[in-house]
Amino acid sequence: MEDLELFRRMALAIAIGAVVGVERHWREREEREGQRTAGIRTFTLIGMFGGAAGLIEYHLSDGPGASGIVLSSFFAMLTGAFAVFQYRESVAEGRHSVTSVVAAMLVFALGALAILGDMALASAGGVVLLAILASREFLHRLMRRLSWLELRSAVILLALTFVLLPILPDEPIGPFGGISPTRILVLVIILASISFCGYVAVRLLGSSRGELVAGLVGGIVSSTAVTITNARRSGSADTASAAVTAGAVGAGAISFFRTAILVATLAPALTAGLLPALLGGGAAMIGYAALLTRRGAGEHAEQQQKNPFDLDAVVKMALLLVGVAFMAQAASRIFGEAGLIAVSALSGLADVDAATVTVAGMQNAISAEIAALAIGAALVSNMIAKAIYASFLGSARFRRHIWLATLLALAVAALCHVGARLV
């Protein structure tokens, strides 16, 4: 490395120690001089110490047996000395905490990484370390409020995502393109994530606004999954029916807007025919969801969900969606290109995006009218399918509002489409 590069890396090592030292010093800013173990100066020097150890290691790395000796020796000396001072402070003040010791060890390690490794990784590590240290009150408050059900649900969701998902085969199994085990698990994760995010939103924002926000966010991933999840919850006596209905309607609105974005980016030639209808239908559902949210706030006291998600129910719903998608694949193989509209409608039973992307990729081979009709068929099919899911899984009030919102949105979309054609 050139001298300028080494200066930049040493400056980063010092900066990491300085920013962590600012946070450590601020927490004990009321202490008199000599009453704190380490503050801004000490942590800045620890960052420099780690950088110096890295520089020495770098210059000695060509020698036999030199690699790692300097770093490990300096690290052991720092950890031992700092731990002794922290121990004496803990005994004098009668408290137990090793946070500063661990922070010092990490500052040294990140300082060495800034010299010997990836500077971007070292700087990112310093920022994350600072964020964790500065979030002490928030994290402690979160731990006091966290229930066992919430912790268990988070652990299950993380295990599904980072342990089970990477080891499942991605290749489809079975006829007509088959079913991918990874796709099934992804749907399980999506459904569980939507339920968990809804739970968090309700706890933070209340049962009325929280459900709407959760529905809007969940609709970005899958409005069908949000509808099914909220339909199952709507029959519970502990759930505000108007609020969960608003979340499902809001997710449906996002489905309109998401399709509009896909059409505008993937098939600009279709925007004149589809965009007014998509935006009009989405606006109608947003308005309906807002009215339900106001009604839910007035009719229901704030509620708390008892369980972030029911894993058995989530798996069953994921299998249902995969089954619908499999039937759509089978129909596409049987009908071929001649049945594009029918296949798009069948695909819409589970998802609008797949049909939209497929048709957008075929726009050079088919007319704009057929492409717009196929995308419209997928969207209408998806809206009707969600209303049918609501009829089978939701309460009477839930399914009534879902049908009303669906018919209103489709009527507004049709009027906007006709108006755009006349203009």
Side-chain angles (χ1 to χ4, degrees), residues 60-74:
L60 295 179
S61 58
D62 294 333
S67 180
I69 294 177
V70 175
L71 279 178
S72 57
S73 300
F74 281 29

Side-chain angles (χ1 to χ4, degrees), residues 310-378:
D310 182 351
L311 189 59
D312 291 340
V314 164
V315 171
K316 291 177 183 177
M317 289 304 102
L319 291 176
L320 172 64
L321 292 179
V322 169
V324 172
F326 176 76
M327 288 189 291
Q329 289 177 193
S332 66
R333 295 297 180 91
I334 295 172
F335 293 130
E337 293 183 2
L340 176 62
I341 296 176
V343 170
S344 296
L346 286 171
S347 298
L349 296 175
D351 182 52
V352 182
D353 292 351
T356 303
V357 172
T358 301
V359 172
M362 298 171 60
Q363 59 181 316
N364 293 328
I366 58 177
S367 66
E369 291 77 9
I370 294 297
L373 190 57
I375 294 174

Side-chain angles (χ1 to χ4, degrees), residues 67-423:
S67 180
I69 294 177
V70 175
L71 279 178
S72 57
S73 300
F74 281 29
F75 184 76
M77 288 189 293
L78 169 70
T79 304
F82 200 91
V84 169
F85 279 95
Q86 185 67 39
Y87 171 75
R88 294 185 61 185
E89 182 184 40
S90 299
V91 171
E93 297 183 358
R95 59 185 177 89
H96 304 280
S97 175
V98 296
T99 301
S100 292
V101 177
V102 176
M105 295 165 65
L106 284 171
V107 167
F108 177 91
L110 290 171
L113 179 62
I115 299 296
L116 299 174
D118 190 333
M119 292 179 65
L121 185 60
S123 60
V127 172
V128 172
L129 173 58
L130 175 63
I132 293 173
L133 292 173
S135 302
R136 184 183 71 175
E137 286 75 15
F138 169 77
L139 293 174
H140 288 183
R141 187 166 60 251
L142 179 65
M143 288 298 102
R144 286 192 295 268
R145 296 183 60 186
L146 189 67
S147 70
W148 166 243
L149 280 176
E150 294 164 352
L151 179 60
R152 186 190 65 179
S153 298
V155 170
I156 292 174
L157 191 54
L158 291 172
L160 292 175
T161 306
F162 297 105
V163 178
L164 188 57
L165 184 60
I167 64 176
L168 279 182
D170 192 36
E171 294 76 15
I173 301 172
F176 303 111
I179 296 175
S180 168
T182 299
R183 175 175 170 78
I184 297 176
L185 183 58
V186 167
L187 283 172
V188 171
I189 293 171
I190 288 173
L191 287 164
S193 299
I194 289 170
S195 295
F196 195 85
C197 290
Y199 179 90
V200 173
V202 169
R203 288 205 63 176
L204 294 177
L205 301 175
S207 61
S208 56
R209 290 179 298 169
E211 294 289 358
L212 178 58
V213 171
L216 294 174
V217 174
I220 298 173
V221 180
S222 172
S223 60
T224 305
V226 174
T227 303
I228 290 175
T229 300
N230 285 19
R232 293 183 61 88
R233 294 174 50 217
S234 66
S236 171
D238 298 319
T239 303
S241 178
V244 296
T245 308
V249 174
I254 295 300
S255 181
F256 274 95
F257 297 139
R258 191 176 64 238
T259 304
I261 293 172
L262 287 174
V263 170
T265 54
L266 300 178
L270 304 179
T271 54
L274 286 176
L275 217 57
L278 293 172
L279 296 178
M285 295 201 84
I286 282 288
Y288 199 102
L291 290 175
L292 284 173
T293 299
R294 290 188 60 184
R295 179 180 298 180
E299 292 182 1
H300 299 278
E302 296 299 328
Q303 305 288 331
Q304 285 285 349
Q305 291 176 268
K306 291 185 177 180
N307 195 345
F309 60 82
D310 182 351
L311 189 59
D312 291 340
V314 164
V315 171
K316 291 177 183 177
M317 289 304 102
L319 291 176
L320 172 64
L321 292 179
V322 169
V324 172
F326 176 76
M327 288 189 291
Q329 289 177 193
S332 66
R333 295 297 180 91
I334 295 172
F335 293 130
E337 293 183 2
L340 176 62
I341 296 176
V343 170
S344 296
L346 286 171
S347 298
L349 296 175
D351 182 52
V352 182
D353 292 351
T356 303
V357 172
T358 301
V359 172
M362 298 171 60
Q363 59 181 316
N364 293 328
I366 58 177
S367 66
E369 291 77 9
I370 294 297
L373 190 57
I375 294 174
L379 183 62
V380 171
S381 171
N382 184 256
M383 297 296 295
I384 298 298
K386 287 184 289 190
I388 293 174
Y389 298 151
S391 298
F392 281 103
L393 301 172
S395 65
R397 188 176 186 181
F398 183 87
R399 59 175 173 263
R400 182 173 67 251
H401 282 298
I402 292 295
W403 274 108
L404 287 174
T406 298
L407 295 176
L408 174 64
L410 293 178
V412 171
L415 289 174
C416 291
H417 179 68
V418 172
R421 289 177 65 89
L422 292 176
V423 172

